[in-house]
């Protein structure tokens, strides 16, 4: 017999072997899992803020509602915006703007005092060095983003596990998170390798707390004989606003 079950969540993501709630209702976390391999389902909030129902199929959820990509972008600039944004950041400070005005005033013969170079050179040097530092920092942020977005995870499919980057994880996927692996999205803990369905997570990147927190898998899915039995279920997860 096929069973149907709804669970209320605040965000949506499906995974294979992860951390979930003490009740069965909620789980929102993005850090490391300790001492267990967990199977989770990915959920992600849409831009509309509407409630939604996500079928427990293991496949990307299709429908009218669009979900944002599971990517991290901490870059501040692009090639087009770097120069105008950094110039604005430099000259929004009074001291830099003051020296810019003084330097430009030296282009007027009646106001000229000394050589123009002595006014322009120090200002240009300070601005260029500041822009180079901003560029260096932004390149480091871009490299970190690429590293995180390209981290590999195992997705459970009807034919077995396949490796996909974190950026390709979609709402509805079953994802396996291994011990001490970063949790790539908001997820619901369905199964763990621990018989009791327990898993420990750390959320220091979210709230600064370094203590390990206990989360338990949904009883219904934890009691299944194998991970593949998830595909035989007729179930869904309801996410409220």
């Amino acid at each position: 017999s096929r069973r149907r079950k709804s669970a209320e969540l605040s965000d949506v993501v499906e995974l294979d072997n992860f951390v979930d709630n003490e009740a069965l209702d909620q789980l929102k976390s993005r850090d490391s899992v300790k001492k267990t391999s967990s199977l989770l389902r990915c959920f992600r909030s849409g831009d509309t803020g509407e409630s939604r129902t996500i079928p427990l199929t293991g496949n990307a959820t299709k429908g009218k509602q669009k979900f944002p990509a599971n990517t991290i972008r901490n870059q501040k600039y692009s090639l087009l915006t770097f120069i105008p944004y950094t110039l604005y950041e430099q000259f929004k400070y009074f001291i830099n703007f003051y020296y810019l005005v003084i330097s430009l005033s030296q282009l007027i013969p009646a106001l000229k005092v000394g050589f123009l170079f002595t006014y322009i050179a120090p200002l240009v040097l300070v601005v260029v060095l500041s822009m180079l530092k901003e560029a260096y920092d932004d390149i480091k942020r871009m490299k970190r983003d690429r590293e995180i977005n390209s981290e590999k995870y195992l997705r459970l499919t009807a034919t077995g596990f396949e490796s996909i980057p974190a950026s390709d994880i979609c709402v509805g996927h079953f994802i396996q998170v291994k011990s001490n692996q970063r949790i790539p999205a908001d997820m619901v803990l369905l199964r763990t390798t621990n018989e009791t369905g327990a898993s420990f997570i750390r959320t220091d990147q979210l709230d600064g707390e370094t203590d390990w927190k206990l989360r338990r898998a949904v009883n219904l899915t934890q009691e299944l004989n194998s991970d593949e039995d998830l595909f035989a279920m007729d179930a869904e997860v309801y996410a409220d606003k």
Side-chain angles (χ1 to χ4, degrees):
S1 64
R2 298 168 68 110
R3 290 178 288 184
R4 191 174 190 84
K5 187 102 179 159
S6 303
E8 287 191 4
L9 303 173
S10 48
D11 281 344
V12 212
V13 183
E14 245 181 72
L15 300 152
D16 272 14
N17 269 15
F18 166 78
V19 263
D20 189 335
N21 43 287
E22 298 164 298
L24 147 126
D25 276 343
Q26 42 182 197
L27 180 325
K28 266 196 336 186
S29 216
R30 299 190 178 203
D31 273 293
S32 310
V33 182
K34 181 182 182 182
K35 295 187 179 176
T36 55
S37 175
S38 303
L39 191 86
L40 307 119
R41 164 167 182 141
C42 290
F43 290 86
R44 195 171 185 80
S45 298
D47 294 332
T48 61
E50 299 176 354
S51 58
R52 53 229 176 263
T53 300
I54 309 299
L56 195 69
T57 61
N59 298 315
T61 302
K62 297 180 180 179
K64 295 181 180 180
Q65 186 172 3
K66 302 258 184 210
F67 295 99
N70 189 50
T71 56
I72 292 177
R73 189 179 189 278
N74 292 313
Q75 274 182 268
K76 292 176 63 177
Y77 313 104
S78 67
L79 290 176
L80 294 177
T81 62
F82 175 73
I83 292 179
Y85 279 11
T86 51
L87 287 177
Y88 168 75
E89 288 293 328
Q90 293 304 312
F91 291 110
K92 73 178 183 180
Y93 297 108
F94 174 78
I95 188 66
N96 286 352
F97 183 73
Y98 171 78
Y99 276 107
L100 175 63
V101 172
I102 294 297
S103 299
L104 293 177
S105 70
Q106 299 306 297
L107 298 175
I108 303 175
L111 300 177
K112 187 174 180 180
V113 179
F115 296 103
L116 180 63
F117 175 81
T118 59
Y119 292 89
I120 296 294
L123 179 63
V124 170
L125 179 63
V126 170
V127 171
V128 168
L129 289 178
S130 299
M131 292 177 68
L132 289 175
K133 182 180 182 301
E134 281 293 319
Y136 175 73
D137 291 341
D138 210 44
I139 289 173
K140 289 201 302 183
R141 286 190 289 266
M142 179 186 68
K143 289 181 177 179
R144 285 197 300 268
D145 291 345
R146 286 182 177 177
E147 181 180 350
I148 292 173
N149 292 330
S150 62
E151 186 176 356
K152 298 294 184 181
Y153 291 85
L154 292 178
R155 177 196 168 196
L156 179 65
T157 66
T159 57
F161 285 100
E162 66 175 10
S163 179
I164 62 172
S167 57
D168 286 352
I169 293 176
C170 298
V171 173
H173 282 173
F174 292 131
I175 303 297
Q176 186 182 66
V177 178
K178 297 181 179 179
S179 178
N180 294 318
Q181 190 174 24
R182 185 185 68 89
I183 297 171
D186 296 339
M187 300 176 168
V188 175
L189 180 58
L190 300 179
R191 292 171 55 79
T192 75
T193 52
N194 189 302
E195 293 182 358
T196 64
S199 186
F200 291 88
I201 65 168
R202 195 173 59 197
T203 59
D204 54 306
Q205 293 184 11
L206 290 177
D207 52 25
E209 295 186 12
T210 57
D211 294 336
W212 292 98
K213 299 176 178 62
L214 173 64
R215 296 293 184 271
R216 296 187 182 277
V218 176
N219 292 333
L220 180 67
T221 51
Q222 177 65 29
E223 293 172 358
L224 296 176
N225 294 325
S226 66
D227 295 340
E228 288 72 18
D229 289 345
L230 290 169
F231 294 98
M233 295 183 63
D234 183 16
E236 60 189 21
V237 175
Y238 173 76
D240 206 345
K241 293 183 180 180

